[in-house]
């Protein structure tokens, strides 16, 4: 007999679908079946039981092989490495719950580290633009119930957020959008004709990296001014048609993705996008939402935001003040410029998603990775601490892409002895306190002096 | 040029010794950035051919196959199949004079990697190529961030050359080799 757990929250992408049904075995240890999830979500739940799961920490030996160690040894090693480092980088956070992030920030503050989350390589530029310009936004519920004009710009939900279109943006019938897809006009702007473009009513192909120009042209048209015959590979008539469609709607929502933040212009593209939406509000109701990738990258920014005032790239190495200077305190720059001397990767895969120049630096400094699975980062780090999977083996608060907090659920037990992210951080914190007390130091800076004296 | 010989552009991108702390590391990839401009200049000249290869603008994006494979495991065959490819436009296959599913050497200002060239899964245009996000793509992604923290994941120029004999490395091996670490074999993949 299996028992069915309803309304499970999928912890993979920023859509955070909350209607999954998961069949688990009677002893609550195995997942038998997953319903309602997309291909990625289903794989996430079903592969948990695959053989080869790491259940004890692994330490890299001098010859490159790995040796199993106990959690105590692993935590001691981590505490000492972080304390010894002048400026450790603590990167990741986007695939764990907010409770663990808060606990991790306590540690970062103690050891004087730089805290940075995945936004730094995905929507960091959007956050910069939002700081500059503000953000006329809404929740996905409003989109579902009200929106009749949807624009996807530089994003590809068909691949990256597979159920986004069916739950919120294209197909669902809502209170004021009873006709569902028939009542909506979908526009897709991209340099590739993506699978999202194929389901859109209007596909606008722009030349790669011409987003800023096209936004600008749209704003110019909206104000009734003249533009050249062609902008960024799009004819003027097409742009005018877009404006007419948007103006004719009751509620416009622009979803934008990394097609805007990864190309030339970065935050200025988003700036232009936000201002376009703001201008559009003279004619109709218009909003925009960033398509956040990892399921809790938004939460990582939220926690960091309410604790230190900055959503990413927060440098706590001065111990008393938090600093945020994109280009200086952002992970890629810190690694490439060799400014950090130890690295902790938490619930994200730095080595698989950073440019190689940064990864190479990470591989050459002491690195500790907290991840439930084997990934590129674990294979390049000195210590891999396995943890329970959030949303499967432990619950916790996560933020959806529209900044709505959702409490995720536990469906099965974690393998015996495996700790959660939060517990690991609590124990590292305790160990750091012990080490400081033993040395009679009040903070990490004093501890560095103490170490220097010891060596001399 | 025959397959297997290094690309003429590679020495253009000779790096400073990365372990040498005495040298300034001001803007990580300024060197790359200027050679990127050199490539760009070539492209603006209207001529995309270079030697026996072509210069294309590359974007790296997520894909559902890659997403599923991440969950299967980053050392799995599925991840390898999903990510160690480069999508080219049909027109570019003609210009290169190769068939689909041939290995090519992709060189950017940041590095060189061997990938399998496949037909576009999602519509491209001539001169635009796509590599799914992952370790292979990141070898060629320039790390210059324009002071935002975000590297050039989309819209950087690459030279694509046919390399039918060259082998595509597994993710872990590739990373180890490029990082100058000893590779002791990957129990999950080899
Ligand atoms: S769309 Fe995202 S959150 Fe929803 S089931 Fe798929 S992976 Fe999970």
């Amino acid at each position: 007999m299996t028992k069915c757990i309803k309304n499970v929250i999928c912890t993979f992408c920023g859509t955070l679908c909350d209607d999954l049904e998961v069949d688990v075995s009677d002893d609550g240890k195995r997942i038998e079946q997953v319903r309602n999830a997309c291909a990625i979500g289903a794989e996430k739940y079903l592969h948990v039981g695959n053989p080869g799961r790491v259940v004890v920490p692994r330490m890299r030996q001098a010859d490159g092989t790995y040796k199993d160690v106990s959690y105590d040894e692993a935590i001691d090693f981590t505490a000492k490495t972080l304390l010894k480092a002048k400026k450790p980088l603590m990167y990741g956070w986007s695939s764990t719950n907010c409770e663990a992030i808060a606990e991790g920030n306590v540690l970062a503050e103690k050891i004087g580290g730089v805290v940075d989350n995945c936004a730094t390589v995905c929507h960091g530029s959007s956050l910069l633009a939002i700081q500059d310009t503000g953000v006329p936004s809404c929740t996905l519920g409003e989109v579902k119930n009200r929106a009749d004009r949807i624009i996807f710009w530089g994003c590809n939900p068909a691949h990256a957020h597979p159920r986004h279109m069916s739950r919120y943006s294209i197909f669902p019938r809502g209170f004021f959008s009873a006709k569902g897809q028939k009542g909506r006009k979908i526009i897709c702007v991209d340099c590739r004709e993506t699978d999202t473009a194929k389901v859109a009513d209007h596909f606008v192909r722009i030349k790669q990296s011409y987003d800023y120009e096209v936004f600008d042209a749209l704003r110019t048209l909206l104000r009734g001014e003249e533009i050249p015959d062609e902008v960024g590979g799009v004819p003027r008539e097409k742009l005018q048609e877009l404006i007419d469609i948007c103006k004719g709607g009751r509620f416009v929502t622009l979803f934008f993705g990394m097609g805007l933040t990864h190309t030339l212009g970065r935050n200025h593209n988003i700036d232009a996008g936000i201002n376009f939406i703001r201008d559009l509000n003279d004619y109709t109701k218009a909003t925009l939402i960033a398509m956040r990738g990892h399921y809790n990258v938004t939460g990582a920014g939220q926690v960091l935001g309410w604790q230190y005032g900055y959503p990413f790239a927060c440098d706590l190495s001065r111990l008393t003040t938090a600093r945020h200077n994109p280009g200086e305190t952002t992970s890629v720059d810190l690694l490439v410029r060799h400014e950090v001397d130890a690295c902790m990767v938490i619930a994200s895969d730095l080595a698989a998603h950073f440019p190689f120049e940064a990864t190479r630096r990470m591989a050459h400094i002491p690195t500790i990775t907290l991840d439930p699975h084997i990934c590129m980062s674990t294979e390049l780090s000195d210590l891999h601490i396995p943890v329970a999977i959030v949303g499967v083996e432990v619950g916790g608060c996560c933020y959806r892409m529209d900044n709505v907090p959702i409490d995720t659920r536990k469906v099965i037990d974690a393998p015996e002895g495996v700790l959660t992210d939060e517990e690991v951080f609590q124990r590292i914190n305790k160990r750091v306190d012990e080490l400081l007390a033993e040395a009679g130091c009040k903070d990490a800076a004093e501890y560095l002096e103490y170490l220097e004296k010891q060596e001399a | 040029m025959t397959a297997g010989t290094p690309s003429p552009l590679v020495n253009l991108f000779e790096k400073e010794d990365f372990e040498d702390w005495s040298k300034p590391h001001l803007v990580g990839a300024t060197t790359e950035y200027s050679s990127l401009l050199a490539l760009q200049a070539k492209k603006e000249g209207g001529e995309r051919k270079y030697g026996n290869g072509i210069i294309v603008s590359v974007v790296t994006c997520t894909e559902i196959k890659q997403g599923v494979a991440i969950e299967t495991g980053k050392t799995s065959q599925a991840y390898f199949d999903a990510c160690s490819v480069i999508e080219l436009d049909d027109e570019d296959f003609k210009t290169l004079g190769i068939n689909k599913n041939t290995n090519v050497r992709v060189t950017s200002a940041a590095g060189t990697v061997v990938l399998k060239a496949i037909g576009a899964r999602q519509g491209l245009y001539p001169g635009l190529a796509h590599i799914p996000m992952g370790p292979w793509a990141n070898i060629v992604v320039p790390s210059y961030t324009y002071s935002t923290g975000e590297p050039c994941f989309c819209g950087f120029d690459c030279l694509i050359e046919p390399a039918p004999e060259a082998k595509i490395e597994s993710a872990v091996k590739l990373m180890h080799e490029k990082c100058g670490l000893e590779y002791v074999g990957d129990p999950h993949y080899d």
Side-chain angles (χ1 to χ4, degrees):
Chain A
M1 255 306 278
T2 54
K3 65 173 184 278
C4 172
I5 306 181
K6 293 217 163 83
N7 300 334
V8 172
I9 290 101
C10 169
T11 47
F12 182 83
C13 78
T15 315
L16 270 182
C17 297
D18 50 12
D19 59 347
L20 267 53
E21 289 179 6
V22 180
D23 288 349
V24 296
S25 64
D26 252 350
D27 54 359
K29 287 202 177 352
R30 259 175 316 111
I31 293 178
E32 307 276 359
Q33 184 64 265
V34 182
R35 281 181 296 274
N36 294 349
C38 70
I40 307 178
E43 183 70 21
K44 166 147 195 154
Y45 282 87
L46 293 176
H47 94 297
V48 169
N50 286 4
R53 173 100 182 257
V54 180
V55 290
V56 278
R58 304 179 305 145
M59 180 105 73
R60 195 190 179 86
Q61 305 294 104
D63 64 357
T65 54
Y66 282 95
K67 180 182 98 180
D68 289 352
V69 295
S70 69
Y71 268 104
D72 284 331
E73 278 174 82
I75 278 154
D76 183 63
F77 176 85
T78 312
K80 284 187 177 146
T81 311
L82 292 175
L83 272 176
K84 211 166 84 188
K86 288 207 177 81
K87 192 173 186 176
L89 170 67
M90 296 174 74
Y91 167 82
W93 310 106
S94 45
S95 296
T96 185
N97 52 21
C98 293
E99 289 83 351
I101 300 171
E103 195 61 40
N105 287 352
V106 174
L107 175 64
E109 202 175 317
K110 250 183 221 157
I111 51 123
V114 182
V115 190
D116 201 1
N117 52 53
C118 293
T120 195
V121 290
C122 57
H123 274 289
S125 313
S126 314
L127 295 167
L128 296 183
I130 289 170
Q131 285 167 358
D132 287 345
T133 321
V135 58
S137 192
C138 65
T139 63
L140 289 173
E142 284 181 271
V143 175
K144 174 186 170 189
N145 285 311
R146 294 172 189 272
D148 57 351
R149 301 285 185 268
I150 304 278
I151 312 171
F152 293 113
W153 199 309
C155 60
N156 189 3
H159 281 257
H161 304 84
R163 294 185 72 213
H164 188 277
M165 301 188 295
S166 60
R167 275 174 64 84
Y168 304 112
S169 47
I170 302 187
F171 305 109
R173 293 162 198 270
F175 194 80
F176 298 108
S177 52
K179 286 207 204 117
Q181 187 191 11
K182 287 210 188 77
R184 291 196 178 91
K185 286 227 159 48
I186 316 294
I187 300 162
C188 177
V189 188
D190 210 302
C191 62
R192 296 191 298 150
E193 191 176 355
T194 57
D195 290 336
T196 306
K198 285 170 198 150
V199 290
D201 302 308
H202 297 267
F203 169 54
V204 183
R205 190 199 285 273
I206 61 173
K207 274 202 271 179
Q208 208 281 317
S209 81
Y210 276 83
D211 306 85
Y212 186 90
E213 285 83 345
V214 176
F215 270 130
D216 237 21
L218 286 174
R219 289 184 71 196
T220 313
L221 280 177
L222 199 58
R223 286 164 189 235
E225 308 282 341
E226 269 309 298
I227 61 162
D229 287 341
E230 191 197 294
V231 179
V234 192
R236 180 175 47 200
E237 297 72 45
K238 187 86 194 169
L239 292 173
Q240 186 60 53
E241 193 190 341
L242 277 193
I243 291 291
D244 295 339
I245 294 173
C246 289
K247 271 187 179 170
R250 280 179 290 117
F251 193 108
V252 187
T253 302
L254 167 70
F255 289 101
F256 63 99
M258 291 189 278
L260 286 180
T261 62
H262 281 172
T263 52
L264 214 59
R266 307 276 193 287
N267 51 328
H268 302 295
N269 293 336
I270 316 291
D271 248 1
I274 295 175
N275 279 316
F276 167 60
I277 290 298
R278 193 151 68 179
D279 290 354
L280 211 52
N281 271 301
D282 288 346
Y283 301 92
T284 177
K285 172 85 185 148
T287 56
L288 83 171
I289 294 178
M291 296 288 259
R292 309 301 297 265
H294 287 79
Y295 68 87
N296 197 24
V297 62
T298 319
Q302 289 280 354
V303 175
L304 211 51
W306 67 254
Q307 294 196 330
Y308 302 106
Y310 307 112
F312 71 108
C314 184
D315 179 358
L316 302 168
S317 63
R318 293 193 181 172
L319 294 172
T320 48
T321 37
R323 289 172 65 245
H324 165 74
N325 188 9
E328 186 205 335
T329 59
T330 33
S331 306
V332 175
D333 299 87
L334 284 170
L335 283 168
V336 167
R337 280 195 315 258
H338 294 197
E339 274 186 24
V340 283
D341 51 355
C343 186
M344 188 164 184
V345 182
I346 307 103
S348 285
D349 199 355
L350 187 153
H353 297 129
F354 269 26
F356 167 68
E357 215 188 344
T359 308
R360 181 170 58 189
R361 183 62 196 149
M362 169 220 144
H364 285 270
I365 54 178
T367 303
I368 297 125
T369 303
L370 250 72
D371 202 293
H373 306 294
I374 297 214
C375 62
M376 289 302 117
S377 299
T378 61
E379 296 313 276
L380 290 178
S381 44
D382 300 281
L383 176 65
H384 171 201
I385 308 183
V387 286
I389 309 170
V390 174
V392 183
E393 295 160 351
V394 56
C397 173
C398 297
Y399 278 74
R400 200 165 66 183
M401 61 164 75
D402 54 351
N403 290 305
V404 171
I406 293 180
D407 215 10
T408 60
R409 297 200 172 168
K410 168 181 168 159
V411 291
I412 54 168
D413 293 328
E416 198 157 321
V418 172
L419 302 180
T420 65
D421 289 296
E422 197 185 356
E423 284 162 354
V424 171
F425 279 116
Q426 278 164 350
R427 286 180 59 179
I428 301 175
N429 269 326
K430 205 164 134 244
R431 186 72 193 124
V432 167
D433 288 341
E434 281 167 15
L435 286 169
L436 287 176
E438 273 167 31
C441 302
K442 78 171 192 308
D443 62 17
E446 269 187 20
Y447 192 82
L448 278 179
E449 284 169 25
Y450 163 83
L451 282 182
E452 262 169 39
K453 264 193 226 131
Q454 289 259 305
E455 263 174 40
Chain B
M1 205 175 66
T2 56
T5 51
S7 128
L9 288 184
V10 166
N11 37 6
L12 228 167
F13 309 130
E14 278 285 288
K15 297 260 183 85
E16 315 156 72
D17 180 13
F18 60 87
E19 277 307 294
D20 186 353
W21 282 75
S22 60
K23 284 189 190 148
H25 284 274
L26 273 178
V27 200
T30 29
T31 45
E32 285 111 327
Y33 183 49
S34 50
S35 32
L36 201 67
L37 289 182
L39 272 182
Q40 185 72 28
K42 263 218 136 358
K43 201 172 145 192
E44 305 269 290
E47 193 41 285
R48 286 203 296 115
K49 281 235 21 114
Y50 189 102
N52 67 345
I54 52 166
I55 289 170
V56 293
S57 177
V58 174
V59 293
T60 71
C61 307
T62 40
E63 260 198 353
I64 194 155
K65 260 178 111 178
Q66 172 236 8
V68 174
I70 284 183
E71 285 306 329
T72 316
K74 293 220 170 92
T75 47
S76 66
Q77 183 68 36
Y79 192 61
F80 180 86
D81 293 342
C83 297
S84 64
V85 295
I86 179 166
E87 290 174 40
L88 295 173
D89 191 77
D90 288 351
E91 199 61 37
D92 287 340
F93 273 107
K94 274 189 213 135
T95 327
L96 267 174
I98 56 168
N99 290 329
K100 287 180 183 168
N101 300 325
T102 310
N103 286 1
V104 291
R105 179 171 287 103
V106 181
T107 307
S108 80
T112 300
V113 67
V114 178
L115 297 170
K116 186 161 88 176
I118 59 166
R121 293 166 177 160
Q122 300 181 60
L124 298 166
Y125 57 80
L128 185 72
H130 169 240
I131 311 178
M133 262 181 202
W136 291 272
N138 286 333
I139 301 289
V140 289
V141 169
S143 58
Y144 188 65
T145 73
Y146 296 87
S147 288
T148 60
E150 297 205 32
C152 313
F153 283 113
C154 289
F156 56 94
D157 289 333
C158 279
L159 175 70
I160 316 272
E161 298 160 301
E165 310 296 323
K167 183 173 173 283
I168 308 175
E169 297 292 3
S170 77
V172 181
K173 188 166 178 206
L174 181 77
M175 283 322 226
H176 275 76
E177 272 174 10
K178 296 268 178 185
C179 290
L181 294 180
E182 203 190 334
Y183 176 68
V184 288
D186 179 355
H188 307 277
Y189 182 74
D190 282 345

